[in-house]
Amino acid sequence: MDIVLASGSPRRRELLERARLNFTILSVDIDETPLDNESPTDYIERMVATKADAAIQQLSDTSQADHDNLTSPFMILTSDTIGVLSDGKTVLVKPVDREHAYSMWQSMSDHVHGVWTAVQATQVQLLPKVETSTAEPTQSLQIINQQRITERTEVTFIPLTTQMMSDYWDSGEPADKAGGYGIQGLGAAWVSRINGSYTNVVGLPLAQTLALIKEMTENSMDTVNPLEWDMHIMTR
């Protein structure tokens, strides 16, 4: 089954490439601002669902020629990674500036925090184009299956000094990473130990994602009423 990775993350792309999967990349842009009083679980589940909706809408708005390289049905893979403080409530997202990064790092210094990743697999099929009198024919997509997993890893940081935080911010590495650090890069020097999936901390729990893809492929018609989703897509 063809796979569309709806993510611009080079780390997720590299992880899937290590598994020798063939996939197409589709970058989607959504508002990642947490809602007031939104729990970490609700937040990441909303993110992967919203990314899937955005990918479906973007694919629906493209021409038939843009779908020629996809065999229907195909799978859209979305993922979102956050850090979570030991209170289980405070979400650590991508830092917006130096002060925001420092604030997160000070909370993580010499403590255990969690890295949570939600992964959603959405299987869709192309429907015949709909002819209209006022516009070009539109391409609709029908969701026929949808499954989601969440992976959690515990990460322990060493005590951090102001100089360490300043040097790391100036490196440019923290800017686009949940919690403001990359375990696969310079941020590895801050990690004294992890408990759980290493690739989850990088941004995609690879073994669990491959298992999800396998399960989705084997059980493609079991979870979602396609008529209800088709009506949702057609009325957007």
Side-chain angles (χ1 to χ4, degrees), residues 130-138:
V130 177
E131 299 287 343
T132 66
S133 59
T134 60
E136 291 293 323
T138 59

Side-chain angles (χ1 to χ4, degrees), residues 16-232:
L16 288 183
E17 287 174 346
R18 290 184 194 177
R20 298 186 177 182
L21 289 180
N22 293 320
F23 58 93
T24 300
I25 296 174
L26 177 69
S27 294
V28 295
D29 185 23
I30 66 167
D31 182 0
E32 299 186 16
T33 305
L35 302 177
D36 291 340
N37 301 316
E38 187 173 31
S39 72
T41 298
D42 289 344
Y43 173 76
I44 55 174
E45 290 184 351
R46 180 172 63 86
M47 287 297 98
V48 292
T50 302
K51 289 176 181 179
D53 285 347
I56 290 170
Q57 188 62 51
Q58 191 168 325
L59 289 168
S60 298
D61 291 342
T62 59
S63 67
Q64 179 65 50
D66 295 319
H67 300 109
D68 287 346
N69 62 331
L70 295 173
T71 300
S72 182
F74 59 90
M75 186 185 307
I76 298 172
L77 202 63
T78 54
S79 181
D80 195 74
T81 300
I82 57 173
V84 182
L85 291 184
S86 56
D87 62 6
K89 300 177 181 179
T90 305
V91 176
L92 305 168
V93 293
K94 299 172 186 176
V96 297
D97 53 29
R98 181 187 292 265
E99 289 69 29
H100 183 208
Y102 279 28
S103 176
M104 290 192 295
W105 295 338
Q106 287 164 351
S107 298
M108 299 153 73
S109 175
D110 201 24
H111 285 84
V112 177
H113 66 273
V115 176
W116 298 7
T117 301
V119 182
Q120 180 169 301
T122 304
Q123 187 178 8
V124 300
Q125 66 181 7
L126 296 172
L127 296 177
K129 281 193 172 185
V130 177
E131 299 287 343
T132 66
S133 59
T134 60
E136 291 293 323
T138 59
Q139 180 72 65
S140 296
L141 301 176
Q142 180 184 61
I143 297 177
I144 57 177
N145 196 0
Q146 204 165 49
Q147 297 182 41
R148 182 189 305 140
I149 61 170
T150 300
E151 185 67 19
R152 296 173 173 84
T153 301
E154 292 181 343
V155 180
T156 304
F157 265 16
I158 63 173
L160 304 178
T161 66
T162 301
Q163 187 62 53
M164 293 166 66
M165 292 187 288
S166 177
D167 290 344
Y168 189 41
W169 178 262
D170 290 342
S171 74
E173 183 176 277
D176 65 340
K177 297 172 178 62
Y181 75 97
I183 196 172
Q184 74 282 7
L186 299 175
W190 289 5
V191 178
S192 61
R193 64 180 57 87
I194 70 169
N195 180 20
S197 167
Y198 168 80
T199 56
N200 182 48
V201 185
V202 176
L204 187 72
L206 186 57
Q208 295 84 349
T209 299
L210 295 177
L212 175 63
I213 292 172
K214 182 175 184 292
E215 182 179 359
M216 171 71 77
T217 303
E218 294 175 348
N219 305 284
S220 61
M221 296 296 291
D222 293 340
T223 57
V224 176
N225 184 329
L227 292 179
E228 292 179 358
W229 278 102
D230 184 39
M231 291 177 64
H232 168 71

